């Protein structure tokens, strides 16, 4: 019997779906005894080291896990699960890990690189193994700010290492015990194949392949993301739509570019590195009542094994019966439905306004609450900025840039005003104030839209992307304006954006995702 250790944090649905897709049955562990007695145990991990360890200890699972490891019964840990094997973590000082591997879990240095590491990277196998038997060097999906350090006393555990600023432990294996920092359940068909190797009772050992030459470092790929803006049309059907500068109506009708579940599956099969759903009317329709959106996520995660982000309406809410839902409640529901990340738009602006006014981290905002439980990497901020032109930086107290695209009256400067409610309302916050505040409060990634470019096919706003990229150290997803493959090459060669997102060109089948990747490869841009 295959059991899954679900301790109530993060998206475990994808692991279950992955196992079921492989033709196996999987059930959740109900007691510490089952942790010890089951045939195969999968221990997935998302979230904060301190929260995870606390839940493992209070449920009696921590001791049971240590016993299982000492008894060498098959166990596969994923992500934070690998980190719990260590003695302690910089993420939660004073909290003890399971302590089966010596050494510490450390934080990546964000003065040198974007933290979290979010994306597809390679691994370098160090020894023969069951897990990596037949592994052919494909990139795998990582999402983490902390990593297991390599020290002399843990070398016997190391199965593979990866480079991200520093070289860190990306997989461990000893006997029947294995754990990986990447997410096999989010690493497409190759990741599922790895899960399969864990489930098979094969004793075959081999040293998996690596894409790296001896001594060469691994590199994270630039991600290509397909975005599905979703809303109900006038007939009440949930459809994928697409706006021109956020106007999704054509001759009065909501544009219908397809069905969300089918389109997401198509993009997965075509090689999208991630898929994002934005419920674009979420700010006015409370999403917990919006069961179709949850159903979209549940259905999609049955067949799509790359990361899924969901945005729209992630904020606190009191329903007509007076029942209060915190933003954390709303986000949790989405994580349980199969989301790996949630994206906050309008509410992030309100949170930033409050933070800019008080300078206090109350711990109560949506960003702080969700980040604390699920980790920074699960909290994306979707920004909807629009240009405001000025003649001189002295004309405003906002962060300005000198622009090569002058304003309608020849203005040479502009700032980027944040908007809420799908661009309907401008706020007195600029894009730098917003993104820096959100980073300080615990957000892990910025989805940088651009109302001026959205749906225009005229290319990404490189000035905006550089402006934000230089101001923060969390990853930036460039969005809005992609019209041809060269635009992706351009955004990755002229900015340090970690990912590029597009909607219209993919929905209208103007450019296959494959062609984007091919053009990137020809320009020596690291791709999956
Ligand atoms: O404010 O937390 O409820 O979130 C609402 C979310 O919905 C926000 O992330 C906001 O960006 C999005 N949204 C709201 N209204 C619209 C609209 O279009 N009327 N969509 C909208 C924004 C922008 C991108 C788009 C890219 C790429 N869409 O997601 O996909 O611009 O398009 P392109 O490649 O075709 O140029 P909340």
């Amino acid at each position: 019997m295959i059991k899954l250790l679900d301790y109530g944090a993060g998206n475990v649905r994808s692991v279950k779906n992955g196992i079921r897709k492989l033709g196996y049955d999987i059930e959740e562990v109900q007691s510490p005894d089952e942790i010890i007695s089951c045939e195969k145990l999968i221990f997935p991990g998302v979230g904060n080291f301190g929260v995870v360890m606390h839940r493992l200890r209070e449920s009696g699972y921590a001791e049971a896990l240590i016993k299982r490891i000492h008894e060498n019964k098959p166990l596969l840990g994923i992500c934070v699960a690998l980190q719990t094997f260590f003695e302690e973590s910089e993420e939660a000082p004073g909290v003890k890990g399971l302590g089966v591997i010596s050494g510490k879990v450390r934080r990546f240095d964000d003065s040198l690189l974007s933290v979290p590491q979010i994306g597809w990277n390679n691994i370098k196998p160090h020894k023969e193994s069951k897990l990596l038997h037949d592994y052919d060097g494909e990139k795998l999906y990582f999402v983490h700010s902390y990593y297991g350090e390599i020290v002399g006393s843990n070398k016997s555990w190391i199965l593979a290492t990866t480079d991200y600023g520093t070289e860190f432990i990306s997989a461990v294996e000893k006997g029947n015990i294995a754990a990986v920092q990447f997410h096999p359940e989010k690493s497409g068909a190759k990741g599922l194949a790895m899960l399969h190797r864990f489930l098979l009772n094969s004793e075959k050992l081999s040293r998996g392949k690596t894409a790296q030459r001896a001594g060469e470092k691994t590199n994270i790929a630039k991600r290509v993301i397909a975005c599905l803006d979703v809303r109900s049309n006038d007939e009440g059907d949930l459809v994928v739509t697409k706006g021109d500068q956020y106007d999704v109506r054509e001759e009065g009708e909501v544009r219908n570019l397809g069905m969300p579940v089918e389109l997401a599956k198509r993009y997965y099969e075509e090689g999208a590195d991630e898929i994002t759903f934005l419920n674009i009317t979420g700010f006015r329709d409370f999403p917990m009542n919006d069961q179709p959106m949850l159903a979209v996520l549940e259905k999609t995660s049955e067949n799509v094994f790359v990361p899924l982000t969901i945005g729209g309406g992630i904020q606190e809410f009191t329903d007509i019966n007076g029942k209060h839902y915190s933003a954390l409640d709303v986000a949790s529901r989405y994580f349980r439905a199969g989301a790996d990340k949630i994206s906050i738009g309008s509410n992030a602006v309100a949170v930033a306004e409050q933070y800019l006014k008080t300078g206090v981290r109350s711990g109560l905002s949506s960003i702080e609450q969700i980040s604390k439980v699920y980790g920074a990497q699960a909290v994306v901020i979707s920004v909807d900025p629009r240009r405001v032109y000025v003649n001189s930086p002295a004309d405003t107290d906002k962060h300005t840039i000198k622009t090569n695209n002058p304003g309608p009256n020849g203005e040479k400067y502009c700032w980027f005003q944040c908007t809420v409610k799908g661009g309907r309302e401008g706020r007195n916050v600029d894009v730098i104030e917003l993104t820096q505040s959100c980073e300080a409060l615990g957000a892990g990634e910025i989805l940088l839209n651009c109302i001026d470019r959205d749906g225009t096919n005229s290319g990404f706003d490189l000035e905006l992307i550089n402006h934000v990229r230089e101001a923060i150290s969390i990853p930036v997803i460039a969005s809005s304006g992609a019209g041809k493959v060269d635009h992706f090459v351009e955004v990755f060669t002229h900015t340090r954006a970690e990912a590029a997102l597009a909607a219209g060109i993919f929905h209208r089948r103007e450019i296959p995702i494959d062609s984007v990747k091919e053009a990137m490869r020809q320009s020596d841009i690291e791709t999956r």
Side-chain angles (χ1 to χ4, degrees):
M1 177 57 75
I2 302 161
K3 293 273 180 182
L4 178 97
L5 185 60
D6 180 6
Y7 44 90
N11 172 16
V12 294
R13 181 180 285 265
S14 299
V15 178
K16 282 193 215 161
N17 285 341
I19 304 288
R20 291 191 179 129
K21 187 94 188 160
L22 293 167
Y24 295 80
D25 205 13
I26 181 160
E27 282 174 12
E28 281 164 26
V29 159
Q30 303 295 342
S31 69
D33 283 350
E34 285 186 1
I35 289 187
I36 300 166
S37 63
C38 68
E39 196 183 319
K40 294 227 151 90
L41 180 69
I42 299 195
F43 173 17
V46 183
N48 177 291
F49 182 92
V51 173
V52 172
M53 280 314 306
H54 177 72
R55 291 194 173 156
L56 292 179
R57 290 208 195 282
E58 74 177 359
S59 52
Y61 289 172
E63 277 175 17
L65 277 167
I66 294 171
K67 190 158 192 287
R68 182 174 182 100
I69 293 169
H70 285 146
E71 290 178 2
N72 191 30
K73 290 192 173 152
L75 163 66
L76 177 65
I78 298 173
C79 195
V80 179
L82 164 60
Q83 298 177 10
T84 65
F85 281 26
F86 286 79
E87 290 164 307
E88 54 183 324
S89 169
E90 289 180 353
E91 188 173 17
V95 176
K96 278 196 176 157
L98 299 175
V100 288
I101 299 182
S102 57
K104 256 194 180 187
V105 175
R106 300 200 179 271
R107 190 171 205 277
F108 287 120
D109 182 353
D110 63 15
S111 67
L112 300 173
L113 51 147
S114 298
V115 179
Q117 164 172 236
I118 300 183
W120 300 75
N121 204 332
N122 293 100
I123 59 171
K124 298 180 283 188
H126 284 233
K127 61 183 179 186
E128 295 209 316
S129 93
K130 286 189 222 174
L131 198 65
L132 298 187
H133 171 65
D134 282 346
Y135 169 69
D136 66 1
E138 277 278 315
K139 284 193 190 294
L140 300 159
Y141 187 76
F142 288 80
V143 50
H144 59 133
S145 303
Y146 296 83
Y147 64 90
E149 65 174 351
I150 302 167
V151 291
S153 50
N154 66 26
K155 291 242 160 79
S156 62
W157 272 99
I158 298 177
L159 171 58
T161 56
T162 293
D163 300 284
Y164 189 66
T166 186
E167 186 175 17
F168 67 91
I169 298 177
S170 47
V172 296
E173 191 179 81
K174 216 178 224 187
N176 293 320
I177 313 298
V180 294
Q181 180 59 64
F182 48 86
H183 287 265
E185 80 284 11
K186 288 283 147 189
S187 296
K190 300 290 175 180
L192 290 190
M194 198 178 290
L195 278 180
H196 204 179
R197 282 193 291 277
F198 170 71
L199 299 176
L200 289 169
N201 280 323
S202 161
E203 290 300 315
K204 279 189 196 157
L205 287 177
S206 76
R207 195 181 173 113
K209 291 197 191 90
T210 177
Q212 276 31 66
R213 282 189 286 270
E216 199 180 55
K217 292 191 168 169
T218 69
N219 288 304
I220 188 165
K222 298 288 183 181
R223 285 169 281 152
V224 176
I225 302 176
C227 182
L228 290 79
D229 289 359
V230 179
R231 63 161 289 169
S232 297
N233 63 10
D234 299 326
E235 286 74 50
D237 303 321
L238 209 61
V239 297
V240 175
T241 189
K242 183 65 210 99
D244 291 330
Q245 300 184 313
Y246 285 34
D247 181 1
V248 298
R249 288 186 183 266
E250 197 168 73
E251 293 169 7
E253 302 272 311
V254 172
R255 276 198 198 102
N256 179 349
L257 293 167
M259 306 311 279
V261 179
E262 287 72 18
L263 266 190
K265 183 161 180 277
R266 187 184 115 203
Y267 295 142
Y268 167 64
E269 287 165 357
E270 288 179 2
D273 295 320
E274 282 184 33
I275 295 183
T276 296
F277 292 104
L278 296 175
N279 176 0
I280 66 170
T281 53
F283 66 87
R284 59 168 184 243
D285 306 325
F286 179 51
M288 299 281 262
N289 295 336
D290 209 351
Q291 295 303 327
M293 204 62 207
L294 290 168
V296 162
L297 215 44
E298 285 167 4
K299 275 246 145 288
T300 300
S301 65
E302 282 173 17
N303 291 305
V304 173
F305 296 98
V306 292
L308 299 175
T309 302
I310 175 96
I314 312 265
Q315 56 197 32
E316 65 176 337
F317 188 84
T318 303
D319 69 16
I320 44 168
N321 302 317
K323 183 164 167 38
H324 181 261
Y325 299 85
S326 67
L328 180 61
D329 293 333
V330 180
S332 299
R333 186 68 191 87
Y334 278 127
F335 289 127
R336 277 201 303 280
D340 300 285
K341 307 189 243 184
I342 52 85
S343 144
I344 310 178
S346 304
N347 182 247
V349 182
V351 168
E353 284 173 340
Q354 185 66 14
Y355 179 66
L356 289 163
K357 198 158 68 185
T358 62
V360 174
R361 289 179 214 177
S362 65
L364 300 173
S365 69
S366 54
I367 299 173
E368 291 160 284
Q369 286 188 354
I370 301 168
S371 177
K372 185 169 171 216
V373 175
Y374 293 99
Q377 81 294 330
V379 182
V380 183
I381 305 301
S382 169
V383 192
D384 301 313
R386 152 180 301 137
R387 282 179 178 233
V388 179
Y389 285 99
V390 287
N391 286 315
S392 148
D395 294 348
T396 171
D397 61 353
K398 299 299 174 201
H399 294 86
T400 53
I401 59 158
K402 189 161 191 210
T403 175
N404 291 321
N405 307 304
N409 303 308
E411 298 95 332
K412 291 205 176 68
Y413 293 86
C414 73
W415 62 282
F416 294 90
Q417 181 188 27
C418 294
T419 66
V420 296
K421 302 180 182 167
R424 286 171 183 77
E425 189 183 318
R427 306 291 306 180
N428 187 30
V429 179
D430 73 41
V431 74
I432 301 299
E433 292 171 321
L434 177 79
T435 53
Q436 288 184 335
S437 301
C438 293
E439 178 176 13
L441 292 169
E445 195 172 33
I446 300 296
L447 164 50
L448 187 55
N449 302 300
C450 171
I451 300 183
D452 309 290
R453 297 291 176 108
D454 173 65
T456 62
N457 290 359
S458 59
F460 297 95
D461 189 335
L462 305 180
E463 292 180 337
L464 166 65
I465 297 159
N466 279 323
H467 186 43
V468 172
R469 179 59 287 174
E470 299 313 318
I472 55 173
S473 53
I474 54 179
V476 170
I477 302 168
S479 164
S480 308
K484 52 183 180 178
V485 292
D486 293 351
H487 290 150
F488 290 86
V489 173
E490 193 176 74
V491 78
F492 289 131
T493 44
H494 296 298
T495 80
R496 292 193 298 115
E498 280 75 9
L501 170 151
I505 50 162
F506 296 149
H507 301 336
R508 295 186 298 266
R509 292 185 184 268
E510 285 163 15
I511 298 175
I513 294 171
D514 245 6
S515 310
V516 174
K517 297 274 186 89
E518 187 49 37
M520 286 167 61
R521 270 191 285 278
Q522 281 181 10
S523 299
D524 288 333
I525 298 165
E526 195 77 22
T527 54
R528 170 172 79 106

